[in-house]
Amino acid sequence: MEILHSAIAILAAILLIIRFKVDPVISLLLACVYLGLATGQGSEGTIKQITGGFGEIMAEVGLLIGFGVLIGALLHSMGTFSDLVAIIARRVGGKLPYAMAGTLAVIFPSIYVDVQVVLAAPMARESAPAVDRKIGLPWLAGALGIGIFAGYVFVVPGLAAVAVAGLMEVPLGTYLLYGLPIGLATALITTLLFRLILSRGFWNDETDYDSDAVLVDGRPHDETEDVPHAESISRLPLLVRLLPILVPLVLIATGAIADLADVSNSVLEFLGDANIALFIGLLIAFVMVRRGLGADGVSSVLTSGFHTTGEILLVTGVGGSLGAVIAESGMQDTLKSLFSADANAPVILSILLAWFIAALLHFAIGSVSVGAITAAGIIGPVVGSMGVDPVVIALAIASGAMFALHVNSNFFWMFRGLLDLSTKGTLKTLTLATSLGAVVSLPLVILASFVAAL
């Protein structure tokens, strides 16, 4: 019954938001209350999960969102994004979605997914008109989504990739050897297919952007863009003005790689923490803008960022509440008991079963990593007797775990808020792109099984 009630709660939330135009916060809270009471958590337990889930997500991503939005506002005041977009338009132009998807998939998996979207979203918004004035932002949004998650599940040191490889007892080097080309190919092919879908009139500006968004040049215009311009700072080299983004990326990547190589220490752990790294980036941006605009000017810039942050935090937090209520419902254990891995199944069937289990678990639970880890826990005990190289089953789990990231994920709501999309628009971009990515990567995994059998 937990599965049925979860399905009702999720579908009801989507229907309320899209069909009846009910605010996402109200819709998600109604879904939380229904699911908690329907699955026997009681009034006290339901309230505990709603508030606890909200608090847990805020502890995880609250500062990241706040620091990221403020850094974006300060970079706007320095003219950083407009100058960066001008360079991109000259050198990459309409190929930016492919460049973004490939870079996120291959180079940035060491950066946690929440940090990636916080830092990449402002550039996607600003670059959209240079890519395509009609579908530039949705195309970039899809590329951003699939790039982040293809790297997350396929490319070491992505968290899900490392977790699945460990549970399936696959050496990280072996996993990377297979996962890297699959992750890159998945990101690029999915970005191309997504572009073809968008070109057929799939996107509707009126319904797919946030209802409060003001469109300028075919993309939402954010309040953080209407900030005082620091003329003197805008004359600095672009690389210097990008330091508020580059420094945190280097710190986080260094910390992650050092931890993976077992050479970390307390200093690297501290500086490599995403919250500290982004705060350092914020300090750099603050000092630069303060020099150009003075105390009152930088205060005005930060105020615009605070206004934008509030709504994103609230919706993201309530998305975390829904995830907590689903987790407490016991659905994960129910789904786990429904499946058993067949040690005598043919290779293709074993791959399809691993993919399906991971896809269903992720769709129901709302976490790519938890879905992948749970699937690996189901299949891991018998993988040695399947007659299939464990790395292939691990990759099949990774592929399925990307499928259909939707409203029960807090990342969905972060993505929606940072890109000024409606819930329908986020389903059309993030959910569709990750679903396409899961389907595109499946035949690549099957192909890898033939290579592994040689």
Side-chain angles (χ1 to χ4, degrees):
M1 291 300 290
E2 295 92 348
I3 298 174
L4 175 62
H5 288 308
S6 296
I8 291 172
I10 291 169
L11 291 174
I14 294 173
L15 187 65
L16 285 171
I17 294 168
I18 294 177
R19 177 66 180 85
F20 297 103
K21 310 299 182 185
V22 178
D23 186 84
V25 173
I26 295 173
S27 301
L28 291 171
L29 281 174
L30 288 173
C32 289
V33 171
Y34 165 78
L35 182 59
L37 297 178
T39 54
Q41 297 178 42
S43 56
E44 184 176 345
T46 300
I47 293 171
K48 180 181 178 181
Q49 294 307 317
I50 291 173
T51 55
F54 188 98
E56 185 177 341
I57 289 301
M58 286 300 98
E60 181 181 335
V61 303
L63 288 176
L64 298 180
I65 294 172
F67 292 161
V69 172
L70 293 177
I71 289 172
L74 291 166
L75 290 177
H76 270 296
S77 73
M78 292 188 280
T80 307
F81 288 129
S82 57
D83 289 350
L84 180 61
V85 168
I87 293 174
I88 290 171
R90 288 197 306 268
R91 298 186 179 181
V92 182
K95 296 180 181 178
L96 176 61
Y98 301 105
M100 178 177 284
T103 302
L104 290 170
V106 173
I107 298 177
F108 290 112
S110 60
I111 312 298
Y112 191 58
V113 294
D114 296 332
V115 181
Q116 289 188 55
V117 73
V118 166
L119 294 178
M123 193 179 82
R125 289 164 53 97
E126 191 79 20
S127 305
V131 172
D132 189 303
R133 289 192 173 273
K134 291 184 178 180
I135 58 169
L137 185 55
W139 190 16
L140 283 165
L144 195 157
I146 188 56
I148 288 175
F149 283 100
Y152 187 60
V153 301
F154 286 121
V155 182
V156 175
L159 177 60
V162 172
V164 171
L167 288 169
M168 302 298 287
E169 298 184 357
V170 176
L172 290 180
T174 302
Y175 192 94
L176 181 62
L177 183 65
Y178 285 90
L180 181 62
I182 290 177
L184 178 58
T186 297
L188 297 178
I189 294 170
T190 302
T191 301
L192 173 61
L193 294 177
F194 190 63
R195 171 70 176 84
L196 295 176
I197 293 172
L198 288 173
S199 66
R200 297 181 177 275
F202 181 67
W203 188 259
N204 185 338
D205 285 355
E206 293 184 3
T207 60
D208 297 339
Y209 286 121
D210 189 285
S211 58
D212 295 328
V214 177
L215 298 185
V216 177
D217 289 333
R219 67 175 181 86
H221 183 78
D222 192 79
E223 182 181 352
T224 57
E225 298 175 46
D226 298 324
V227 294
H229 189 57
E231 293 286 350
S232 60
I233 305 301
S234 66
R235 290 192 288 269
L236 291 174
L238 180 60
L239 185 62
V240 174
R241 287 179 284 148
L242 282 171
L243 287 176
I245 292 179
L246 298 178
V247 170
L249 286 175
V250 170
L251 289 174
I252 295 169
T254 301
I257 293 170
D259 184 58
L260 195 63
D262 290 327
V263 294
S264 186
N265 55 49
S266 59
V267 175
L268 287 176
E269 287 178 3
F270 179 76
L271 295 177
D273 179 84
N275 293 293
I276 298 300
L278 278 180
F279 181 61
I280 291 172
L282 177 60
L283 285 178
I284 295 171
F286 175 83
V287 170
M288 293 172 71
V289 175
R290 174 73 179 256
R291 287 184 58 192
L293 293 178
D296 291 340
V298 76
S299 177
S300 175
V301 174
L302 292 177
T303 298
S304 70
F306 291 137
H307 290 167
T308 302
T309 303
E311 180 184 358
I312 299 174
L313 289 176
L314 186 58
V315 176
T316 301
V318 176
S321 298
L322 179 59
V325 175
I326 290 174
E328 187 65 19
S329 71
M331 184 173 61
Q332 181 175 333
D333 294 331
T334 301
L335 287 171
K336 190 172 182 178
S337 67
L338 292 176
F339 297 106
S340 61
D342 187 351
N344 299 311
V347 173
I348 301 297
L349 185 58
S350 296
I351 292 172
L352 292 175
L353 179 62
W355 186 95
F356 178 74
I357 291 173
L360 184 59
L361 286 167
H362 168 232
F363 187 86
I365 297 168
S367 168
V368 172
S369 57
V370 173
I373 289 168
T374 306
I378 294 170
I379 299 171
V382 298
V383 71
S385 58
M386 279 183 162
V388 186
D389 194 309
V391 71
V392 174
I393 300 300
L395 292 168
I397 291 171
S399 171
M402 278 196 300
F403 184 77
L405 198 150
H406 64 100
V407 299
N408 60 351
S409 166
N410 68 286
F411 185 92
F412 179 95
W413 300 104
M414 281 181 62
F415 191 91
R416 175 189 182 276
L418 290 168
L419 291 169
D420 264 340
L421 305 176
S422 67
T423 301
K424 185 177 181 180
T426 312
L427 289 169
K428 283 185 173 184
T429 51
L430 181 62
T431 305
L432 178 57
T434 51
S435 300
L436 277 174
V439 173
V440 165
S441 58
L442 180 57
L444 298 177
V445 173
I446 294 174
L447 179 62
S449 71
F450 295 118
V451 176
L454 295 176

